[in-house]
Amino acid sequence: MTSATDLLHELATRKAMARLLPVLAIAYFMSYVDRTNVALAKTALEADIGLSAAAYGLGAGLFFVSYALLEVPSNLVLYRIGARLWITRIAVTWGAVSAAMMFVQNELSFYILRVLLGAAEAGLFPAMMYMVTLWFSQKHRGMVVGLIYTAPCIAIFIGSPLGGALMELDGFGGLHGWQWMFLVEGIITILVGVLVWFLLPGRPADAGWLTKDEAAVLTARAVGHDAPSRTHLRGNLRFAFGRPVVIVLAAIYFINQAISSGIGFNFPALVQSLGIQSPFLIGVVAGGGGIAGLAGVLFFPWLQRRIGREIALIGVCAGAGLLILVTFILSTSVGLSVTLIYVANFFALGTLPLFWVVAMSRMSGLMAAAGLAFINMIGIVGGFVGPFVYGLIESATGSLLAPYYTISVASLVGLALVPLLGLIIRREKERERTGPQPGEASLQTPA
């Protein structure tokens, strides 16, 4: 039987979703547009400033290096000063740097601005995931994270054609098309930062549109009662970053991001190699993968709410991704190859809400701020490795297909890690139920 408190919680959750998710989604939308618009500029940068494939791959990946190094410090600052101020700062600074990409003149300036862009944007995604742990119960997190992930899917679908259309301004005002793209999209991001400042409360208690009872029930239900935590980072570094469950989650995310970034940053060039020359049409075809990704991030959280079994569903996505990659390598049909990339997006993006639901279920409080940022940091390193290795293999072989052999091997390793993750979580929960063994520290006891 549904209690009055349950009804109040459902009402408050719907309010929170309606108010928070549009703001978070538009910020994430622009982060994805500003992060990946460089893929649309790849060919133009090669022609206009002589950027080689290897240099492009390094520059595309350098974003993820500075992003990764500052992930944990950024989220720890957010934990102290609040999401509203910190996410606003992130959006304004990364928008300014994104606009400054219009001044790229050579490989060195390309590298420097990509590093600065990563530093400016560091912490955005784990900040949003941390906010989910403050506002939403474990029951609702899969759906909430899935809705947040609609933003990059829409960014792929809309952002790529938009960027392609801006690049059609080539020569207008004496600027290259890629300069217009960076300038306009950077300015929009700065405006999004202003929007965040006015519309995003950090915690339920700060939201004027919630009653006191609604804020209280959201806060109470968001606490993960079975999520082990600590109240101080000092002395608990191994707990925050060295637990087996955290390490395996980070490894899985590393592989996912390496594969997704390696393919994503080079997909427009692959499309162009198939004979499509118009920047706008390249953007349309490349953006088509966003539709499949959108379907994935909506379908899998829906399925998870009905059957549970997040880890099994993650395994299904990993297995399907491997099968698709092998088929892609063997394909000789242009239409089939593009379709397979679209289907791969369905599983690669669809698995991410499930992944973060599992991660958030095993940490809370300060440990969530630190642990989620750490996992994302490792994944972002994968985002560097993917494009860089892709570029090296492409340059060495002269083939756009050759990198997919390495990607397939990485996918196989990721699939093998999924059952290991399930085993580790079962053992951790068992230790929580039975108490620590002799010589073992309890996961639940605060330090």
Side-chain angles (χ1 to χ4, degrees):
M1 184 175 177
T2 303
S3 68
T5 303
D6 292 334
L7 292 174
L8 180 65
H9 179 243
E10 290 296 329
L11 173 62
T13 298
R14 287 194 294 271
K15 276 189 179 181
M17 291 174 65
R19 294 280 189 150
L20 299 180
L21 293 186
V23 181
L24 294 176
I26 193 171
Y28 197 29
F29 173 92
M30 289 310 304
S31 80
Y32 208 85
V33 168
D34 288 343
R35 188 188 308 178
T36 59
N37 56 15
V38 70
L40 291 172
K42 178 182 179 182
T43 303
L45 288 171
E46 290 175 351
D48 294 337
I49 67 173
L51 199 69
S52 68
Y56 167 80
L58 176 59
L62 281 173
F63 165 92
F64 296 102
V65 175
S66 55
Y67 191 122
L69 290 175
L70 295 175
E71 279 287 82
V72 173
S74 177
N75 236 37
L76 293 178
V77 172
L78 172 130
Y79 181 78
R80 299 298 180 189
I81 71 174
R84 179 189 179 208
L85 174 59
W86 198 240
I87 295 179
T88 297
R89 192 285 305 163
I90 290 172
V92 170
T93 54
W94 110 61
V97 176
S98 183
M101 285 287 294
M102 68 180 292
F103 299 113
V104 168
Q105 297 293 323
N106 49 41
E107 292 182 358
L108 179 60
S109 58
F110 180 64
Y111 296 155
I112 291 172
L113 284 168
R114 290 294 292 177
V115 169
L116 291 176
L117 185 63
E121 193 181 327
L124 175 68
F125 183 74
M128 292 191 295
M129 294 300 98
Y130 177 65
M131 282 198 65
V132 172
T133 70
L134 298 179
W135 283 82
F136 299 102
S137 67
Q138 186 68 14
K139 172 186 174 182
H140 294 99
R141 287 175 183 172
M143 178 172 59
V144 169
V145 176
L147 291 172
I148 291 174
Y149 266 115
T150 63
C153 298
I154 296 172
I156 294 171
F157 180 58
I158 297 178
S160 292
L162 174 62
L166 290 171
M167 287 186 65
E168 296 280 6
L169 295 173
D170 191 54
F172 182 75
L175 298 177
H176 295 295
W178 55 269
Q179 290 178 303
W180 278 113
M181 179 180 66
F182 287 131
L183 175 62
V184 172
E185 292 178 354
I187 290 173
I188 293 174
T189 300
I190 293 172
L191 296 177
V192 168
V194 176
L195 184 70
V196 168
W197 175 256
F198 285 105
L199 297 181
L200 188 71
R203 296 171 181 269
D206 301 329
W209 35 266
L210 288 174
T211 68
K212 289 185 178 180
D213 288 342
E214 289 170 341
V217 74
L218 281 177
T219 300
R221 295 287 180 94
V223 175
H225 296 292
D226 64 339
S229 189
R230 296 287 191 274
T231 57
H232 302 285
L233 190 59
R234 180 177 297 178
N236 289 300
L237 292 178
R238 184 165 179 257
F239 181 87
F241 308 128
R243 289 161 56 201
V245 66
V246 174
I247 293 172
V248 174
L249 282 166
I252 292 173
Y253 196 49
F254 174 93
I255 292 171
N256 176 280
Q257 293 300 289
I259 293 173
S260 298
S261 298
I263 294 175
F265 276 110
N266 293 278
F267 188 45
L270 179 65
V271 171
Q272 186 173 17
S273 73
L274 300 177
I276 299 175
Q277 298 302 317
S278 165
F280 177 70
L281 290 179
I282 291 171
V284 169
V285 175
I291 299 175
L294 179 62
V297 298
L298 294 175
F299 172 74
F300 284 105
W302 172 85
L303 186 60
Q304 177 265 335
R305 285 197 72 189
R306 281 152 181 77
I307 70 172
R309 302 181 64 80
E310 296 91 349
I311 294 176
L313 290 174
I314 292 172
V316 169
C317 291
L322 176 59
L323 180 61
I324 290 166
L325 282 169
V326 172
T327 307
F328 176 84
I329 292 171
L330 298 175
S331 171
T332 57
S333 166
V334 171
L336 178 60
S337 296
V338 173
T339 301
L340 287 170
I341 294 294
Y342 289 170
V343 177
N345 267 7
F346 173 79
F347 290 102
L349 289 174
T351 193
L352 294 178
L354 308 174
F355 173 87
W356 289 110
V357 165
V358 172
M360 286 186 284
S361 73
R362 304 311 304 152
M363 56 190 75
S364 62
L366 176 60
M367 293 300 103
L372 295 174
F374 174 75
I375 291 170
N376 200 57
M377 177 189 75
I378 299 301
I380 290 301
V381 173
F384 163 76
V385 171
F388 183 51
V389 172
Y390 193 113
L392 289 178
I393 296 173
E394 180 187 336
S395 294
T397 63
S399 169
L400 289 173
L401 184 61
Y404 288 88
Y405 291 95
T406 301
I407 290 172
S408 296
V409 173
S411 183
L412 179 62
V413 175
L415 176 60
L417 288 174
V418 176
L420 177 61
L421 174 64
L423 176 63
I424 289 171
I425 290 178
R426 287 195 299 272
R427 288 183 175 177
E428 188 173 272
K429 288 182 176 179
E430 182 62 27
R431 287 199 302 273
E432 292 164 13
R433 286 194 296 267
T434 61
Q437 300 300 312
E440 235 183 8
S442 169
L443 291 174
Q444 294 287 359
T445 305

